[in-house]
Amino acid sequence: MGPATGAQRQFPSGAAYAEALQHTQLCFQHPELKGARPELTKLGLPRAISGAFASVFSLTSAVSGQRYAIKCFTRHVPDQEDRYQAISSRLAQLDPAELSQPWNLGFEYLPDAISVGRGRYPCLKMEWTEAVTLSSWLENNHSHPFAVDRLADRFEALTRDLAAHEIAHGDLQHGNLLVASDDTLRLVDYDGMYVPALAGKGGTERGHRNYQSPMRGNDDFGATLDRFSAWVIFLSLKAIATDPALWNRLHEPSGEFLLLTEEDFKSPGGSTRLQTLLAHPDPTVNGLADHVRSLAFQPLDVLPPLAVAVPRPRTTAATAASAGSSSGTAAAPAAAGGLPGWMTGHVSSQAASTPPVSSITSPDGFRVRTLLDVATALLWPLMLAVTILMLVAGVSTPPIGPGVPVLATVALTIFARSRRTERTRSRAVLAKLTSELAQLDDPVKAAAKLHEDRAKFDAAETQRTAAFPRAQDKLTALYHAALKEAEERKVRKQRDIAKKIDGLAEELRRALVKALKDKQSNYVRDQLGRRLIAQSPPTGIGPKLTASLAAAGIRTAADFTGYQSVQNAQYNSTGALLVLSSGRVVDVRGIGEAKAIALDAWRRHVVAAAEARQPAALSTPERQSIEQGITRRRAQLTAQRKAVEPETDALRAKARKRMEDERERLTRENTRAGDQARRDRQEFSRRTVELQQNSALHGRLSDSVEAAKLRQRGLSFACYLRFLYIGR
């Protein structure tokens, strides 16, 4: 019974392991596990905690009394032993005194440790810890804000421990975070863990979908692997600590998440859960929620670690009204210069400064009177006196009439007013402000356009990020289909060749039988050809009939095979036709039925005599010649069978090369698309800031235009007349 490897056959199922663990004295060789007592179900079977790739059993050692968690694998993981040895070595180097809490559980990788059926398989022997999962703990403790907040701080400390030692768990989620009785955390399930010794290798899993960034791909495997998951868990803990009602409001009983799911990260605009957190009145909750939303579509290697800082609260509705609500995104924490915190470093400082509005103001009235103003002021009383005299004198016909002086005075007044610098300056200022206002985009329309563009971008990004793993899975499926087809082709060819090889013995037997028959047939034919009818004629066949037979081509016993009876209706008699060796029949004069019977009997006698003397076996050279032909045929078939495996290997290599090339192409395209998406996000950030600036500038310019128009009212015709006489 030898070790089983994933390359050779499938790993057992959890049920198969459970059956084997009923007899630990037989299935284990490890001294502490041999004869260990498994924890049993009500049915008396070993209790299994089953996952996607393994089943975990609780065993108590009969030797030490120590309780262990035994992890039995149900799926092959490439480089499994090397990975676990690297992880075990790194964790063993950690000084417990330097850790924030005893989250590190010791384990031992045991190759070929457990026997199941006829195979032996590896397993993990881990320390057993009395603890509950994070989700179970929250179910019982969410109404205690202080305890939840303290746990959030301990979780943050745990992530600091991991980061300080360049370790990433790879699948931070509620089921892999256990809370002990002292409310400290324990980490379990190290299958996908990253340690520095594994740098350059690929990941073996992608983590729980409700805790992973939509940007996480199959090739993401490094020290930054946990950053998005950490923010998601930290947000959930802090939100529940702030508002315990959020647990019952957003969590589902037995749900595989805390407060947020995969769909909330992929489609934040349509997420009720995320919008609830974004709209929460507490600044810590809405600030963290907005931060997580902003991280969802950024590459893992650029995400900030949880230990750096907790993001500041979001700004109030005033900022959101100017840009965030219009663009379909909530405003982020404000940084220096009015930028949201998550935009810092993505938008230049020049873009953050708001262009100043012109400080030039228009005059709100007339100031110093000129000579023209004085002349105009004197003209009005004179015009009134002239008009009165003309009315008294009765002058009312053109071209001189009472209205002419009035019109002349009004025209002069209009001219004098137009010459005032205050009026010219007021017009210039209003024209300048109006021109500046016209050059700005309408904030409402710009916000609507930004919202539309961002919605299209988010939809396209959601589709792209979802399509990438699907495309990779499709390539993997095609690869496995090609492997299956190659394997089936190999089996078919090997089966056909093996069938032919197995049939060579029968083929040899038939060849020997045929060769002997051919040899005997040739001997008999030769003997028949040697018996001339003329030398030993049958009874009743004289020289004359012999000559007639010879004339018809019948000289020996080999020249004919028998006769056919024919009825002669003319003479009411029976005749005979002789059948030649070629199958043709001839009518020989003088050969009737009786003579034909005699000839046939003579021939049969000759045949019987020849067959009695024919060889009974092949000669040694004849037999060896046939056997050598079969031997050559066997060698050819054996060579063909050996060639099937290299041909299959070539097909496998071709399929793998095709998959790797396509994966590389997909990765390049996805990387380019991701880079473009980052540039697009920066552009949206710039447009958001620009919209904020333009909205504020548009408001100030609009106010300035209205103020300029109001000031212009102080320069009206009536105001000018008043200025002429009272000086203001």
Side-chain angles (χ1 to χ4, degrees), residues 266-269 326-329 447-463 684 687:
K266 287 185 174 181
S267 304
S326 300
S327 62
T329 60
K449 184 66 167 62
L450 179 59
H451 171 69
E452 179 184 358
D453 292 347
R454 185 60 191 253
K456 289 180 180 178
F457 170 78
D458 288 339
E461 274 299 281
T462 299
Q463 184 178 2
F684 280 122
R687 287 175 62 185

Side-chain angles (χ1 to χ4, degrees), residues 212-217 219-221 223-229 231 291-305 346 457 461 464-465 670-682:
Q212 298 304 319
S213 166
M215 294 292 289
R216 180 171 176 176
D219 296 330
D220 284 313
F221 191 62
T224 61
L225 207 53
D226 294 332
R227 290 187 176 179
F228 185 80
S229 319
W231 280 108
H291 188 66
V292 168
R293 179 196 57 76
S294 70
L295 298 178
F297 292 100
Q298 297 185 35
L300 268 62
D301 56 359
V302 302
L303 300 186
H346 295 286
F457 170 78
E461 274 299 281
R464 180 184 71 82
T465 52
N670 190 63
T671 300
R672 286 197 296 268
D675 293 341
Q676 183 59 48
R678 281 192 289 275
R679 290 192 292 270
D680 290 343
R681 289 190 189 96
Q682 293 176 6

Side-chain angles (χ1 to χ4, degrees), residues 658-716:
R658 183 166 57 247
M659 180 191 68
E660 290 174 348
D661 290 346
E662 286 299 305
R663 276 185 176 274
E664 186 177 349
R665 178 187 62 79
L666 274 177
T667 301
R668 285 198 306 270
E669 292 177 355
N670 190 63
T671 300
R672 286 197 296 268
D675 293 341
Q676 183 59 48
R678 281 192 289 275
R679 290 192 292 270
D680 290 343
R681 289 190 189 96
Q682 293 176 6
E683 176 62 15
F684 280 122
S685 300
R686 186 197 64 76
R687 287 175 62 185
T688 300
V689 174
E690 185 179 293
L691 180 60
Q692 293 175 341
Q693 297 168 350
N694 287 351
S695 180
L697 181 59
H698 192 280
R700 291 198 294 273
L701 280 175
S702 297
D703 292 342
S704 297
V705 168
E706 290 302 319
K709 289 180 179 179
L710 184 62
R711 289 173 177 272
Q712 204 171 38
R713 295 175 188 173
L715 303 177
S716 65

Side-chain angles (χ1 to χ4, degrees), residues 71-89:
K71 186 168 191 173
C72 300
F73 301 99
T74 56
R75 194 196 75 165
H76 172 65
V77 177
D79 306 326
Q80 186 177 62
E81 184 172 356
D82 293 340
R83 287 176 181 270
Y84 275 115
Q85 287 177 349
I87 295 168
S88 175
S89 175

Side-chain angles (χ1 to χ4, degrees), residues 15 24 44 92 99 105-106 138 158 166 201 217 326 427 524 544 661:
T24 56
L99 301 180
L105 298 181
L138 284 171
L158 186 154
E166 297 183 272
K201 292 182 178 290
S326 300
R427 284 185 170 182
V524 170
K544 187 175 180 180
D661 290 346

